[in-house]
Amino acid sequence: MLPYRTIQDAQIALGRPLSYSENLWFRYTGEVSDYWLYYLNIIFLFLVFTVAPLPTAMIDLLRVKAFQKYKLQPGELNSYSGIYRCYKTVMHTFFTVVGPMQLLSYPIIKLVGIRTSLPLPYLWEAFMQIVVYFLVEDFGNYWIHRWLHSNWAYNKIHYMHHEFTAPVGFAAPYAHWAEILVLGIPSFVGPLLVPGHMVTLWLWIALRQMEAIDTHIGYDFPWTPTKLIPFYGGPKYHDYHHFVGGKTQSNFASVFTYCDYIYGTDKGYRYKKTLE
């Protein structure tokens, strides 16, 4: 909740006129508690999980001929029933694990200083913070994912995510509830280390989930803008991890490829590329 009664009060406090986006922020969040603003994350995640995977899932289910040359595992066909079962499981986990985890994490978010006040962050500020969040999350996710491929963790937890040998976007968050919890930790470490604005946190959570969906779509489209991002793994990189199967010791990184390269866990993938 903003500490200003009017826009004029906010402008006096900032010493300048509000920008267009700040006017919108004041108008729609001025009297909304920080508690509810943070919980909008739950709505955003629900929309991302439901809407973002749809286009490529429909391409896959309808076997759209024009796109089949980009399918990474053309011999593996997903079914309507399989994708529906996947989505239903994801939604069950969302409402029983992800949602409650968001609810319980609010005190920590307030403690570290995630703010809802004016001014809104500059674009460069939000961009740099999100870059840090991605780097921190990627490093933490790499080691947790690598641990999940140990015999005990794979057989007890991670096996579920690998039920999809040829992944589809809806399968990105398809996992055991314990995996959702433990892999959720690195996503919060960045904002805890470099706290920013609530808008930045919203954007970070949405982008991270969209990235996870992107790496699981099962298609390698040449026009994808993420191909311009240095060291970005993408669908082809992560699809190899699913293709090899549960016992793979390759391509653990969630976003970038540098951890796999540094720690030597991409050798199988690099060898495969030399044969193509």
Side-chain angles (χ1 to χ4, degrees), residues 115-131:
R115 64 183 183 86
T116 61
S117 59
L118 293 173
L120 293 181
Y122 291 107
L123 287 177
W124 66 264
E125 177 187 354
F127 174 79
M128 292 306 297
Q129 286 176 328
I130 289 173
V131 168

Side-chain angles (χ1 to χ4, degrees), residues 60 71-79 82-83 85-86 149 154 158-169 171-172 174 215-219 235-248 272:
D60 204 39
K71 187 171 173 62
L72 291 164
Q73 296 186 49
E76 296 287 337
L77 302 178
N78 290 302
S79 65
I83 291 180
R85 177 180 63 86
C86 172
H149 276 266
Y154 183 84
H158 195 48
Y159 71 91
M160 182 174 172
H161 184 66
H162 276 270
E163 288 179 11
F164 284 85
T165 304
V168 64
Y174 179 81
T215 58
H216 286 82
I217 60 174
Y219 288 80
K236 189 174 183 179
Y237 190 80
H238 191 68
D239 195 89
Y240 176 80
H241 178 82
H242 280 264
F243 171 75
V244 175
K247 301 304 179 183
T248 181
K272 178 178 178 291

Side-chain angles (χ1 to χ4, degrees), residues 45-72:
L45 282 173
F46 172 77
L47 291 174
V48 170
F49 285 158
T50 301
V51 177
L54 273 176
T56 50
M58 294 310 299
I59 287 173
D60 204 39
L61 290 171
L62 296 174
R63 318 280 191 253
V64 180
K65 189 174 181 181
F67 296 110
Q68 291 310 296
K69 59 183 176 181
Y70 304 121
K71 187 171 173 62
L72 291 164

Side-chain angles (χ1 to χ4, degrees), residues 1-7 9 22-37 116 118:
M1 184 177 294
L2 297 179
Y4 317 113
R5 296 187 62 183
T6 66
I7 288 180
D9 291 340
E22 287 171 335
N23 269 289
L24 289 179
W25 184 256
F26 183 93
R27 183 177 303 172
Y28 292 108
T29 71
E31 297 183 359
V32 179
S33 70
D34 293 356
Y35 184 86
W36 288 110
L37 287 176
T116 61
L118 293 173

